[in-house]
């Protein structure tokens, strides 16, 4: 996103709250880290940080998010929901739903969610969500929704930038065969986030869980679970529980709750 695009984005934005204040950087270490500092200093809900490139873009579990300049979207959005800290994973689900809807609106035919935080096209990752939460006593102080979307990266660029991840990554451009206006995509995505955030406040957790499941690509699929302590096991993905944890039925017919880790459909 360049400063010209930021002006375009300001013109396109129709949200009440989400993205009403946007801090733009040509380069940041990580938009999540920049926004965390603003949040600690009292920034209001809906404040966002966008960078054209990140030098230390982060995934989950200390992984790296590849963030070349000029092509993609790297954005963090500040939320201050009144909810218990344990429910904050629901906001990752909400962001994934909003991403699927934005991709559909952009013309992508079958974007699906991969538990817990990826959005894929044709089995390849086009976007990832990194939700970070700070609590204050029994309640949430703030949540940062960090979203990275590969918008205009070409296949050649994906191959050269991503090495081993390149086989499982894609971009909107690779899928649609044309350049996508980043400002428009961002405006549409912020609008979707606002819509789903309001629906969540009004209709609650069961609504989000159902809408997420409808867009999830793993229901009843055979999966391999890679746990955080580097074990693996297989089973059938049956759904998510009320806290957003994945439920996998193993071959011994036990239902296991996956709290962190990675799950691949096999
Ligand atoms: C994620 O982590 O998918 C969360 C990514 C969140 C990135 C945004 S960008 C704005 C904000 N600021 C930040 O610093 N972060 C957020 P995870 O599920 O752990 O996936 C990380 C893995 O995806 C890596 O280990 C690679 O295998 C792969 N990967 C890295 N960069 C990628 C990219 N650009 N596109 C697709 N896959 C990528």
């Amino acid at each position: 996103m360049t400063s010209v695009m930021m002006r375009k984005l300001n013109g396109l934005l129709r949200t009440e709250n989400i993205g009403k204040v946007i801090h733009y950087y040509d380069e940041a270490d990580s938009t999540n880290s920049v926004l965390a500092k603003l949040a600690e200093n009292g920034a209001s809900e809906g404040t966002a940080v966008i960078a054209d490139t990140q030098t230390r873009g982060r995934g989950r579990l200390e992984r790296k998010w590849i963030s070349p300049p000029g092509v993609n979207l790297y954005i963090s959005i500040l939320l201050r929901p009144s909810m218990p800290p344990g429910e904050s994973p629901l906001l990752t689900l909400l962001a994934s739903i909003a991403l699927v809807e934005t991709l559909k609106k952009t013309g992508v035919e079958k974007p699906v969610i991969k538990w817990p935080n990826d959005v894929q096209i044709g089995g390849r990752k086009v976007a990832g969500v990194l939700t970070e939460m700070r609590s204050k006593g029994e309640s949430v102080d703030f949540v940062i929704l960090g979203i990275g979307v590969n918008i205009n990266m070409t296949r050649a660029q994906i191959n050269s930038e991503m090495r081993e991840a390149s086989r499982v990554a894609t971009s909107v451009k690779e899928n649609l065969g044309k350049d996508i206006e980043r400002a428009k995509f961002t405006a549409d995505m912020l609008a979707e986030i606002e819509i789903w955030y309001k629906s969540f406040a009004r209709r609650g957790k069961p609504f989000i869980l159902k809408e997420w499941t409808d867009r999830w690509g793993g229901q009843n699929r055979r999966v391999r679970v890679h746990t955080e302590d580097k074990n693996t096991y297989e089973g059938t993905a049956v759904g998510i529980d009320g806290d957003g944890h994945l439920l996998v039925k193993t071959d011994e017919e036990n239902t296991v709750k996956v709290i962190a880790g990675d799950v691949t459909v096999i």
Side-chain angles (χ1 to χ4, degrees), residues 113 208-217 219 238-240:
I113 299 172
I208 289 296
L209 294 175
K210 178 182 182 305
E211 295 292 327
W212 184 89
T213 305
D214 287 348
R215 291 164 182 79
W216 174 47
Q219 183 98 58
V238 290
I240 46 171

Side-chain angles (χ1 to χ4, degrees), residues 52-53 66-72 74 124 149-167 169-174 179 182:
D52 189 50
T53 182
I66 312 278
S67 311
V71 279
N72 292 337
Y74 318 110
R124 291 171 179 230
V149 188
N150 298 333
I151 298 190
N152 287 326
M153 281 183 101
T154 60
R155 172 49 42 193
Q157 220 174 350
I158 293 171
N159 289 344
S160 67
E161 300 266 358
M162 292 195 199
R163 299 198 196 104
E164 68 273 24
S166 65
R167 282 180 300 113
T170 190
S171 68
V172 183
K173 176 173 171 147
E174 181 174 46
D179 270 310
R182 282 188 290 163

Side-chain angles (χ1 to χ4, degrees), residues 29-33 54 56-61 63-68 72-76 117-118 125-130 146-150 153 162 165 168-170 262:
D29 52 355
S30 151
T31 55
N32 268 33
S33 309
Q54 300 183 111
R56 297 172 61 116
R58 293 189 280 117
R60 293 176 302 142
L61 316 168
R63 291 189 285 222
K64 200 175 161 195
W65 188 255
I66 312 278
S67 311
N72 292 337
L73 173 64
Y74 318 110
I75 184 169
S76 300
N117 67 325
D118 291 1
K125 182 161 175 167
V126 68
V129 182
L130 175 66
I147 300 174
V149 188
N150 298 333
M153 281 183 101
M162 292 195 199
V168 288
T170 190
D262 277 303

